[in-house]
Every structure is written in C-alpha cells, then in structure tokens.
Amino acid sequence: MTGRFVTFEGIDGAGKSSHIEALAHWMRARGHEVIVTREPGGTPLAERLREMVLAEPMDTLTELLLVFAARRDHLAGQIVPALARGATVLCDRFTDASFAYQGAGRGLAPALIGHLEQWVQEGRQPDLTLWFDLPAQVAAQRRTAARAPDRFEQQDEAFFARVRAGYAARQREHAARFVRIDAEGPPAAVWQQVVAAAEARGWW
Ligand code: TYD
C-alpha cells in the first residue's frame, strides 16, 4: 500500500497554509492517516537548515544545495516512511518551489535543478500539486500585514512575478499532477477549489 503525496505551492502571501490544515481535517474525517509537513523543514535537521536558508545571506547555489539537503533528509526520515505505511502526506512546498524561487526567481538554470531533483528524489514526484496562484501585487498587499519578512519575503514584486512565471512553467511541464487554484478570491471560494481538486482524484 502506498499513500499519496500532495504538495502545496505558490508565491509568499498566496494564503495556502490555512487550506493545508483544513484539507488534512477533511481527509482525516474520511478515515485517512494524514501527515502535515513543510519544506524546507519537516525533520529536526531540515528545520535547522530552514533557519539558515531563511535568515543567513548566502550565494544562490549554496541556497539551492541547502534546500535539497533538507529535502533529502525530509524524504528519508519522514515522507517515504509515511507513504510506505499508506499515509497521505501534505507538504507545504516541495521541489517546484526550488524551480520557481532558485530557478525563475534567482536565475539558476532549470537543468541544474533537474539534476539535483533526479539525484535526491530518485524519480519520486508528488501525486498531486495544488498551486495557489495570484498576481504578485495582490500577494504583496497580503504580506504587509504579516510578521517580519524573511529573506524571500523581502524580495521585490518583480522577483515574485518571476517566481509566479516559474510556477506557470512547471504547471505546463507537469500538467497531469498540477492543479491551478485561483487564490485571489475570498477564502471560501479558494477552499471550494481545493476540495474539488481532492475529490476529483477519487483517492480520499
Ligand atoms: P513559506 O513556506 O512561505 O513559510 P512561511 O509561511 O512560514 O513563510 O517559507 C518558505 C520560504 O522558502 C518561501 O519563501 C520559499 C522558500 N523556498 C525556496 O526558496 N526554495 C525551496 O525549495 C523551498 C521548499 C522553499
């Protein structure tokens, strides 16, 4: 028995976090074991790497290597064992974020990121990716109300416009697993799309 691996993506301020918890609740109510986790992070070591990546100035390739190091530890210590026992894993960000942020946002070549993806994931990909999409300008307005910005949240609107375009490119390349959620509307409208995407798969 293999569980399902679901990832959540979008630019900072897209509002995905509350929907992840709500979807976990929705699935548990149907009798499924659900793990909620995040990247970078999800294991003690990967959470330490997260703190560095979000706070310490570093060059872009170092940043990419650290998120993939965290990812490897997370896969080995948390994601793969959970899937092996049949649990659903809901992960707040995964490798599409590396293509969007370190690739489209910071300018690293997609082919380089693809090599790390192959190496670290050994062919494993999410079964379903919910991409919370909205214009960079709207996301920026939502972020201003939030807490002190980290290294990514400090970036300008042009950076987030590139990250958004990076997600759009990933959706085109991985259309079978990618569902675009229009995240610009009110939370109830966004939630309806999230549930519709989960129900459409027929897995839960
Ligand atoms: P985020 O998931 O937005 O968490 P929070 O809601 O606590 O701010 O923060 C993680 C940040 O890490 C986000 O700005 C995107 C960035 N990130 C990358 O740049 N590359 C990656 O591969 C991943 C997983 C995240």
Side-chain angles (χ1 to χ4, degrees), residues 104-105 136 155-164:
Q155 298 294 316
D156 62 14
E157 207 177 293
F159 175 85
F160 286 105
R162 291 197 299 278
V163 173
R164 184 189 190 197

Short mmCIF file of all heavy atoms in Angstrom, two decimals, residues 104-105 136 155-164:
data_model
loop_
_atom_site.label_atom_id
_atom_site.label_comp_id
_atom_site.label_asym_id
_atom_site.label_seq_id
_atom_site.Cartn_x
_atom_site.Cartn_y
_atom_site.Cartn_z
N ALA A 104 13.55 30.36 -11.46
CA ALA A 104 12.97 31.55 -12.10
C ALA A 104 13.26 32.83 -11.30
O ALA A 104 13.56 33.87 -11.88
CB ALA A 104 11.46 31.35 -12.25
N GLY A 105 13.20 32.75 -9.98
CA GLY A 105 13.39 33.95 -9.15
C GLY A 105 14.83 34.42 -9.13
O GLY A 105 15.13 35.58 -9.38
N ALA A 136 1.40 38.92 -8.25
CA ALA A 136 2.42 39.28 -7.26
C ALA A 136 1.99 40.51 -6.45
O ALA A 136 2.26 40.59 -5.25
CB ALA A 136 3.74 39.53 -7.96
N GLN A 155 12.00 40.21 -0.86
CA GLN A 155 12.24 40.46 -2.28
C GLN A 155 11.16 41.37 -2.86
O GLN A 155 10.05 41.45 -2.33
CB GLN A 155 12.26 39.13 -3.05
CG GLN A 155 13.37 38.18 -2.62
CD GLN A 155 14.75 38.73 -2.94
OE1 GLN A 155 14.99 39.25 -4.01
NE2 GLN A 155 15.66 38.62 -1.98
N ASP A 156 11.50 42.03 -3.98
CA ASP A 156 10.54 42.97 -4.58
C ASP A 156 9.49 42.25 -5.44
O ASP A 156 9.57 41.04 -5.65
CB ASP A 156 11.28 44.07 -5.35
CG ASP A 156 12.09 43.52 -6.52
OD1 ASP A 156 11.88 42.35 -6.91
OD2 ASP A 156 12.93 44.26 -7.05
N GLU A 157 8.56 43.06 -5.91
CA GLU A 157 7.44 42.50 -6.67
C GLU A 157 7.91 41.82 -7.97
O GLU A 157 7.34 40.80 -8.39
CB GLU A 157 6.46 43.63 -7.01
CG GLU A 157 5.05 43.18 -7.18
CD GLU A 157 4.15 44.38 -7.43
OE1 GLU A 157 3.99 45.20 -6.51
OE2 GLU A 157 3.62 44.49 -8.55
N ALA A 158 8.96 42.36 -8.59
CA ALA A 158 9.48 41.76 -9.83
C ALA A 158 9.98 40.34 -9.57
O ALA A 158 9.79 39.44 -10.40
CB ALA A 158 10.60 42.63 -10.40
N PHE A 159 10.61 40.12 -8.40
CA PHE A 159 11.06 38.77 -8.03
C PHE A 159 9.87 37.82 -7.98
O PHE A 159 9.90 36.74 -8.56
CB PHE A 159 11.79 38.82 -6.67
CG PHE A 159 12.20 37.47 -6.14
CD1 PHE A 159 13.39 36.88 -6.54
CD2 PHE A 159 11.39 36.79 -5.24
CE1 PHE A 159 13.78 35.63 -6.05
CE2 PHE A 159 11.77 35.54 -4.74
CZ PHE A 159 12.96 34.97 -5.15
N PHE A 160 8.80 38.25 -7.30
CA PHE A 160 7.65 37.36 -7.15
C PHE A 160 6.90 37.17 -8.47
O PHE A 160 6.29 36.12 -8.69
CB PHE A 160 6.72 37.85 -6.03
CG PHE A 160 7.32 37.60 -4.68
CD1 PHE A 160 7.86 38.62 -3.93
CD2 PHE A 160 7.39 36.30 -4.19
CE1 PHE A 160 8.44 38.36 -2.70
CE2 PHE A 160 7.97 36.03 -2.96
CZ PHE A 160 8.50 37.07 -2.22
N ALA A 161 6.97 38.16 -9.35
CA ALA A 161 6.39 37.97 -10.69
C ALA A 161 7.17 36.88 -11.44
O ALA A 161 6.57 36.03 -12.13
CB ALA A 161 6.41 39.28 -11.46
N ARG A 162 8.49 36.84 -11.27
CA ARG A 162 9.29 35.79 -11.91
C ARG A 162 9.00 34.43 -11.29
O ARG A 162 8.90 33.42 -11.98
CB ARG A 162 10.80 36.10 -11.77
CG ARG A 162 11.28 37.28 -12.56
CD ARG A 162 12.81 37.27 -12.73
NE ARG A 162 13.55 37.33 -11.46
CZ ARG A 162 13.81 38.44 -10.78
NH1 ARG A 162 13.36 39.61 -11.22
NH2 ARG A 162 14.51 38.41 -9.67
N VAL A 163 8.86 34.41 -9.95
CA VAL A 163 8.55 33.14 -9.27
C VAL A 163 7.21 32.61 -9.77
O VAL A 163 7.07 31.41 -10.06
CB VAL A 163 8.55 33.34 -7.74
CG1 VAL A 163 8.07 32.07 -7.04
CG2 VAL A 163 9.95 33.71 -7.24
N ARG A 164 6.24 33.51 -9.89
CA ARG A 164 4.92 33.09 -10.39
C ARG A 164 5.04 32.48 -11.80
O ARG A 164 4.45 31.44 -12.09
CB ARG A 164 3.99 34.31 -10.42
CG ARG A 164 2.59 33.94 -10.82
CD ARG A 164 1.73 35.16 -11.07
NE ARG A 164 0.33 34.80 -11.24
CZ ARG A 164 -0.58 35.59 -11.76
NH1 ARG A 164 -0.26 36.81 -12.17
NH2 ARG A 164 -1.82 35.18 -11.88
#
